[in-house]
Amino acid sequence: DLVSIVREILEETGLQPQHLELEITESCIMREAESAIKSLAELKMMGVHLAVDDFGTGYSSLSYLKQLPIHKLKIDRSFIKDIPEDPNDEAISRAILALGHSLQLEIVAEGVETKVQEGFLKEGGCDEVQGYLYSRPLPAKEFEALIKAVSSAH
């Protein structure tokens, strides 16, 4: 029972719900769409932010997408990695950007590794990007040191 677990953890930690963002994969949502929509709606009412991870790799129905009480779509890295070499990946990424923005969702691109990819996404209005262009995944202590170093440089 995800909603109960999240509620308990928020109470135990004192974390305000608006500071928690949960990423749920598209395929996980589609396995049991009706119950997922209900649970996600409860989490959103609690103030938790919700993102659909790996968007474009599952079998989403657009009718379900419009019902999902989410804040963000994350474009799967499989559509980003071959930009600019693959015009189909560019077209799919543009379509996800347009679709997401028309639904008033923030769009995050995963797996950005080059400045060309970053520029393409920026030009397309992508809200956030993540990937090796910025940093490899880091353990918490190394991440903290990186943030402190970046903060002190500015």
Side-chain angles (χ1 to χ4, degrees):
D1 184 17
L2 180 63
V3 176
S4 296
I5 292 168
V6 170
R7 187 175 285 118
E8 278 180 40
I9 292 171
L10 289 172
E11 288 173 10
E12 285 176 21
T13 62
L15 181 71
Q16 295 298 307
Q18 67 269 22
H19 298 298
L20 176 63
E21 181 174 285
L22 298 177
E23 295 182 6
I24 300 96
T25 62
E26 178 184 16
S27 58
C28 180
I29 293 170
M30 290 301 108
R31 264 195 300 267
E32 294 188 37
E34 297 298 329
S35 64
I37 290 170
K38 182 178 180 271
S39 294
L40 295 175
E42 288 182 55
L43 290 167
K44 186 174 184 178
M45 285 181 9
M46 288 169 46
V48 173
H49 287 249
L50 302 165
V52 175
D53 196 18
D54 301 336
F55 186 76
T57 61
Y59 300 100
S60 284
S61 160
L62 293 179
S63 67
Y64 280 124
L65 181 60
K66 73 177 186 176
Q67 295 176 49
L68 291 176
I70 58 174
H71 300 90
K72 287 183 183 177
L73 284 181
K74 295 184 78 176
I75 303 173
D76 188 73
R77 70 175 303 282
S78 64
F79 300 115
I80 305 301
K81 69 181 175 113
D82 291 327
I83 292 173
E85 293 83 21
D86 188 336
N88 290 330
D89 282 342
E90 288 185 353
I92 290 168
S93 296
R94 272 193 216 95
I96 293 172
L97 286 162
L99 174 66
H101 285 142
S102 68
L103 293 171
Q104 278 76 55
L105 299 173
E106 289 180 52
I107 310 298
V108 179
E110 300 177 308
V112 177
E113 296 181 0
T114 69
K115 287 287 190 183
V116 172
Q117 293 166 342
E118 179 188 56
F120 170 84
L121 293 160
K122 186 181 235 181
E123 186 179 301
C126 192
D127 300 294
E128 296 177 22
V129 291
Q130 63 187 54
Y132 282 11
L133 179 61
Y134 311 101
S135 176
R136 62 180 176 77
L138 299 173
K141 293 266 188 228
E142 287 181 43
F143 177 72
E144 188 176 336
L146 175 66
I147 294 299
K148 286 180 181 176
V150 170
S151 296
S152 65
H154 294 290

